[in-house]
């Protein structure tokens, strides 16, 4: 048992009042004890031993991680130690992707080589187009994306070799490269427009905008403000440690499934309105409210729990989400190009009320990343169905960084939580004619 240098010990003494026995368990860094240390606590020798019960993992660390640091109380977010504000200001999305995936900012040569590799993996097999064409004209873009990414695993059977670091890296590059292509194809399908192939001389975000919006011209040059705004939004969404979708990626990956299958699962987790589907839900909510005059009636419903204020609240942040502050500034820049989104007034008024009223203040309901992002996406011409996809493109990087870290962590094994069984005791089968 370690001495902590202050005369105390980095241990925890647990007294079981059922038996009067005491147990001393180590406290690891960050006020953490190992759940497995509880298993020695038993009433009788043959007992299974004690477990912790934690629905929704609100107080359980599932991993050690070097990737993303969040201090939810202070509103701090850092990737590999670098504050999100500095990265959003001074970096590019692919540079941040390299940082998250490799652990360090790239040298110029490393960045050039990474950008080159991503650029040259943007094309998808033509059969992927046939797959997408099988969807109904009004299919939700996220549903199409989940299927498409899952389908990619069948094109790259070697991706199953997840314990080979080189094979892993090739799949990582493929996924980062192909997400915008497939996202643009899903959008074009929805609009009934011909697919536009990737252009290698454009930047990651310019190429994406080109595949989305080029119609009837040879060259498409996105507005540089919008190109940069999308890049900043991608940086802000790139990772967020052990959230619902990253945990899904790790859990699926822990069975050594290939990364395309694991990422399809992570995307499904992201799709829900409480996670990455919230940006879409925010826009639908703002449109439903319709005008500032209708806000008081809407807020009454939130207080009565008939409505949820989408884009507010967070499991980890109990202060202003630092990503929301940056997005708010980005929104101003975008609106100077596109014109002001008329829903902004409703959003600002909702925020004002939420930051000042007791119901919201005592529950720490600050705007999160999804509150303002949808207003920007809408101003840039994206339909609401694309919003979760715009979250998923950059978050691929975070999922893949988490997946890679999980596979390299000798402490990780197949994920397998326990349960507290509350069902029936053993009972004998009853023939159907004797039931009821
Ligand atoms: N509107 C109204 N009340 C809320 C909201 C909200 N958006 N969020 C939480 N609350 C209330 C909730 O009713 C509860 O009140 P009470 O204690 O009186 O029952 C209290 O605040 C605690 O809420 P919770 O649901 O236990 O908190 P959680 O940590 O389980 O949920 C959350 C976090 C993000 C799912 C939730 O805040 C929420 O549903 N927000 C709206 C959806 C949203 O914007 N999601 C995007 C999250 S950020 C991007 C991402 O990471 O995906």
């Amino acid at each position: 048992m370690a001495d902590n240098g202050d005369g105390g010990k980095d241990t925890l003494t647990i007294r079981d009042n059922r038996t009067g026995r005491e147990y001393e368990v180590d406290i690891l860094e960050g006020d953490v004890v190992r759940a497995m240390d509880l298993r020695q606590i038993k009433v009788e020798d043959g007992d299974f031993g004690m477990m912790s019960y934690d629905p929704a993992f609100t107080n359980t660390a599932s991993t050690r991680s070097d990737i993303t640091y969040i201090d939810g109380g202070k509103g701090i977010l850092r990737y590999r130690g670098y504050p999100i504000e500095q990265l959003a200001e001074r970096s590019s999305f692919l540079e941040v992707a390299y940082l998250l995936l490799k652990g360090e900012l790239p040298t110029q040569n490393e960045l050039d080589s990474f950008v080159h590799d991503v650029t040259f993996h943007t094309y998808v097999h033509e059969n992927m187009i046939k797959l997408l064409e099988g969807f109904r004209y009004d299919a939700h873009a996220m549903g199409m994306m989940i299927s498409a990414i899952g389908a990619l695993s069948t094109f790259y059977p070697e991706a199953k070799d997840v314990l080979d670091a080189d094979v892993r890296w090739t799949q990582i590059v493929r996924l980062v490269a192909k997400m915008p292509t497939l996202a643009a194809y899903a959008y074009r399908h929805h609009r009934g427009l011909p697919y536009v192939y990737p252009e290698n001389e454009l930047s990651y975000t310019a190429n994406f905008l080109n595949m989305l919006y080029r119609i009837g011209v040879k060259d498409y040059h996105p507005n540089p403000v919008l190109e940069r705004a999308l890049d900043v939004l991608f940086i802000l969404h790139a990772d967020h440690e052990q959230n619902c979708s990253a945990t899904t990626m790790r859990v699926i990956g822990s069975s050594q499934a290939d990364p395309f299958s694991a990422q399809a699962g992570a995307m499904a987790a992201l799709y829900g309105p409480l996670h990455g589907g919230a940006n879409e839900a925010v826009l639908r909510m703002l449109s439903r409210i319709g005008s500032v005059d209708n806000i008081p009636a809407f807020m009454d419903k939130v207080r009565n729990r008939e409505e949820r204020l989408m884009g507010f609240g967070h499991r980890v942040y109990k202060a202003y989400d630092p990503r929301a502050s940056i997005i708010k500034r980005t929104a101003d820049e975008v609106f100077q190009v596109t014109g002001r989104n008329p829903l902004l007034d409703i959003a600002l008024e909702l925020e004002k009320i939420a930051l000042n009223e007791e119901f919201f203040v005592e529950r720490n309901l600050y705007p999160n990343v999804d509150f303002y992002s949808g207003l920007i996406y809408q101003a840039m011409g994206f339909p609401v169905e694309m919003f979760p996809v715009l979250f998923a493109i950059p978050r691929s990087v975070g999922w893949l960084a988490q997946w890679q870290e999980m596979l390299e962590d000798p402490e990780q094994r197949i994920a397998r939580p326990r349960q507290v069984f509350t069902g029936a005791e053993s009972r004998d089968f009853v023939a159907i004619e004797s039931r009821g």
Side-chain angles (χ1 to χ4, degrees):
M1 303 279 170
D3 186 315
N4 69 4
D6 294 330
K9 279 201 288 182
D10 286 330
T11 64
L12 182 73
T13 300
I14 304 170
R15 182 184 159 82
D16 185 344
N17 292 322
R18 298 170 303 178
T19 59
R21 271 183 235 136
E22 284 193 355
Y23 304 83
E24 194 171 357
V25 300
D26 283 335
I27 299 174
L28 313 180
E29 74 273 22
D31 293 342
V32 172
V33 293
R34 280 186 182 275
M36 275 305 281
D37 281 348
L38 300 177
R39 283 280 279 280
Q40 59 184 308
I41 304 174
K42 299 177 179 181
V43 175
E44 287 174 20
D45 278 351
D47 287 352
F48 180 79
M50 189 164 281
M51 293 189 291
S52 59
Y53 174 59
D54 188 12
F57 311 124
T58 51
N59 198 38
T60 295
S62 60
T63 187
R64 290 181 146 105
S65 181
D66 295 342
I67 303 171
T68 291
Y69 174 79
I70 300 176
D71 182 328
K74 296 193 183 127
I76 293 172
L77 170 61
R78 295 184 202 128
Y79 296 159
R80 303 281 190 187
Y82 295 101
I84 192 67
E85 294 79 5
Q86 291 182 21
L87 293 170
E89 173 90 26
R90 300 175 56 188
S91 192
S92 68
F93 171 64
L94 285 185
E95 192 178 20
V96 168
Y98 186 100
L99 170 70
L100 285 166
L101 290 162
K102 296 272 196 183
E104 296 296 337
L105 284 168
T107 62
Q108 190 62 55
N109 282 346
E110 286 166 340
L111 181 61
D112 291 347
S113 152
F114 181 58
V115 170
H116 174 275
D117 290 349
V118 168
T119 307
F120 280 82
H121 277 92
T122 47
Y123 272 64
V124 294
H125 194 288
E126 287 289 292
N127 286 2
M128 290 300 294
I129 293 180
K130 292 192 187 133
L131 176 89
L132 296 176
E133 280 169 352
F135 282 92
R136 260 170 55 150
Y137 72 97
D138 59 350
H140 196 288
M142 196 65 172
M144 293 176 73
M145 286 295 285
I146 292 168
S147 310
I149 293 299
L152 276 185
S153 78
T154 66
F155 291 82
Y156 304 112
E158 73 275 18
K160 290 187 193 333
D161 196 359
V162 296
L163 300 182
D164 182 315
D166 292 336
V167 173
R168 274 204 306 266
W169 183 250
T170 305
Q171 315 320 315
I172 288 172
V173 170
R174 281 182 172 143
L175 272 161
V176 174
K178 293 180 199 312
M179 282 291 286
T181 312
L182 290 168
Y185 286 4
Y187 168 83
R188 290 251 167 185
H189 174 82
H190 184 67
R191 292 277 147 125
L193 292 167
Y195 302 121
V196 172
Y197 288 107
E199 292 283 353
N200 285 356
E201 64 274 16
L202 296 176
S203 74
Y204 189 79
T205 39
N207 176 47
F208 180 43
L209 290 166
N210 176 58
M211 291 187 289
L212 288 161
Y213 293 136
R214 194 180 84 199
I215 302 175
V217 289
K218 245 171 131 196
D219 292 321
Y220 173 85
H221 300 287
N223 183 298
V225 174
L226 303 187
E227 181 184 343
R228 176 63 190 157
L230 199 55
D231 211 55
V232 170
L233 284 162
F234 281 1
I235 292 171
L236 300 180
H237 285 87
D239 192 49
H240 214 232
E241 50 115 314
Q242 309 312 316
N243 52 76
C244 178
S245 56
T247 299
T248 306
M249 183 83 186
R250 281 177 172 264
V251 169
I252 300 177
S254 77
S255 75
Q256 298 186 359
D258 70 83
F260 300 98
S261 303
Q263 183 162 315
M267 289 170 71
L270 186 78
Y271 192 8
L274 300 189
H275 192 7
N279 49 18
E280 179 178 352
V282 168
L283 244 284
R284 292 192 191 281
M285 173 188 78
L286 294 176
S287 306
R288 211 154 33 91
I289 295 172
S291 91
V292 174
D293 296 344
N294 297 331
I295 290 179
F298 178 81
M299 286 310 230
D300 279 345
K301 286 191 178 163
V302 175
R303 284 181 214 100
N304 295 331
R305 293 185 171 75
E306 293 160 40
E307 291 273 6
R308 198 157 259 250
L309 194 51
M310 301 312 287
F312 279 76
H314 201 276
R315 172 64 59 76
V316 180
Y317 290 119
K318 300 303 166 202
Y320 211 99
D321 181 335
R323 300 168 300 174
S325 323
I326 301 168
I327 287 184
K328 227 174 145 181
R329 284 199 299 278
T330 308
D332 291 337
E333 288 157 23
V334 169
F335 295 158
Q336 284 187 13
V337 175
T338 61
R340 204 163 186 269
N341 189 322
L343 296 174
L344 181 65
D345 291 334
I346 302 175
L348 289 171
E349 184 61 20
L350 285 178
E351 178 181 338
K352 201 166 100 194
I353 297 172
L355 294 182
N356 290 299
E357 259 199 33
E358 198 183 322
F359 177 91
F360 302 95
V361 173
E362 69 186 17
R363 289 175 177 77
N364 297 308
L365 297 182
Y366 293 93
N368 59 47
V369 68
D370 289 313
F371 191 57
Y372 287 104
S373 60
L375 291 173
I376 303 181
Y377 296 146
Q378 192 178 53
M380 288 174 75
F382 291 104
V384 284
E385 295 80 12
M386 282 298 286
F387 293 4
V389 174
L390 293 164
F391 195 150
I393 293 171
R395 185 53 62 84
S396 303
V397 167
W399 292 327
L400 292 162
Q402 301 284 343
W403 169 73
Q404 187 176 241
E405 188 179 66
M406 182 271 304
L407 287 169
E408 286 172 354
D409 180 347
E411 281 201 299
Q412 293 293 338
R413 295 146 74 193
I414 187 166
R416 182 33 172 114
R418 297 276 177 177
Q419 65 169 8
V420 178
F421 180 69
T422 56
E425 291 289 320
S426 173
R427 46 187 176 163
D428 287 327
F429 183 78
V430 180
I432 197 161
E433 55 281 7
S434 312
R435 290 177 212 159

